[in-house]
Amino acid sequence: FQQVFDLTRLVQTNISSALAEPIIKRAGKNVNHWFHPRTREPRECIDVQTGKKTFYTPEGLFLHLERDELTVPWWKDEDYYIGDLTSRVRTIRIYNMLIE
């Protein structure tokens, strides 16, 4: 899903949590690979040691994976949503006319 989220407030309130680390590490980058393309939920896999279903998080567990029913996860919270990724990237150049 081609959405852009601003997670600054979320990270600031959870800065001491190890669960914020993957989000901080991937700041400004695409994390679509964390989510299933159809369900838009975090990817899951079977743990080979326990045989139980678990989240597939190669970069580590992140905020809101383990939650109660009352907590809206950040990937579904409209307060963090700021827009969509562009399908056509445009290169721009900015000139300082005062210097040139």
Side-chain angles (χ1 to χ4, degrees), residues 12-100:
Q12 285 175 340
T13 57
N14 297 283
I15 195 72
S16 61
S17 172
L19 297 176
E21 287 302 315
I23 294 173
I24 294 168
K25 191 165 67 170
R26 298 289 300 177
K29 297 183 179 82
N30 190 336
V31 294
N32 280 344
H33 62 280
W34 289 0
F35 300 92
H36 191 278
R38 187 175 43 79
T39 65
R40 296 184 177 191
E41 289 294 325
R43 290 185 182 266
E44 296 178 330
C45 64
I46 303 297
D47 187 332
V48 293
Q49 295 175 337
T50 64
K52 295 182 180 180
K53 188 184 284 190
T54 185
F55 293 108
Y56 175 70
T57 55
E59 297 177 52
L61 294 175
F62 53 87
L63 292 167
H64 292 174
L65 281 179
E66 303 293 332
R67 62 189 185 278
D68 56 26
E69 291 82 33
L70 300 176
T71 303
V72 177
W74 59 262
W75 57 91
K76 290 185 175 183
D77 193 337
E78 292 183 12
D79 291 340
Y80 296 117
Y81 172 75
I82 59 171
D84 295 324
L85 286 175
T86 183
S87 59
R88 292 181 19 180
V89 178
R90 296 181 186 198
T91 303
I92 63 168
R93 293 183 184 185
I94 299 173
Y95 293 101
N96 185 342
M97 298 305 289
L98 299 175
I99 294 175
E100 298 192 16

